[in-house]
Amino acid sequence: MIQQNPVMRVCISCRKTYDRENLFKITKDHKQGIMFGRGMGRSAYICQSKKCYSDSKIKKKLQKSLKTFLEPEFIEIFEKEITSY
Ligand SMILES: [Zn+2]
């Protein structure tokens, strides 16, 4: 089936709207905790602009939109994941 309308989501950093396909997804999974690009639960999206994912406030923004606490080591894993995305 051809999807006619792309699913649009807002980047939590620049607040611009993008096709979900082009966004990096971080999910707070009900069972497994924070997951990248998969998982079920509350999700946040970040666009592929370096300005957004390297933002010094990105962890704070993620915590706010996922309504969770992120471990200090989260940001290292996050950067690794997003640069290999
Ligand atoms: Zn952005």
Side-chain angles (χ1 to χ4, degrees), residues 27-77:
T27 302
K28 184 188 163 196
D29 188 85
H30 300 308
K31 289 177 185 157
Q32 300 183 74
I34 301 298
M35 302 188 86
F36 299 96
R38 60 210 154 89
M40 293 283 286
R42 185 178 284 276
S43 299
Y45 296 85
I46 299 173
C47 73
Q48 289 168 40
S49 149
K50 194 170 192 290
K51 224 173 84 190
C52 285
Y53 66 75
S54 318
D55 186 344
S56 58
K57 293 186 198 79
I58 200 69
K59 190 166 165 258
K60 234 176 218 174
K61 287 175 181 172
L62 274 168
Q63 291 191 139
K64 206 174 155 205
S65 55
L66 295 172
K67 296 193 194 316
T68 192
F69 172 78
L70 297 166
E71 301 294 334
E73 56 268 31
F74 166 83
I75 208 73
E76 270 177 55
I77 305 163

Side-chain angles (χ1 to χ4, degrees), residues 10-32:
V10 175
C11 167
I12 59 157
S13 189
C14 61
R15 313 298 303 175
K16 281 183 199 146
T17 308
Y18 296 92
D19 183 337
R20 193 174 61 179
E21 299 286 306
N22 299 318
L23 290 164
F24 187 73
K25 184 188 180 195
I26 297 111
T27 302
K28 184 188 163 196
D29 188 85
H30 300 308
K31 289 177 185 157
Q32 300 183 74

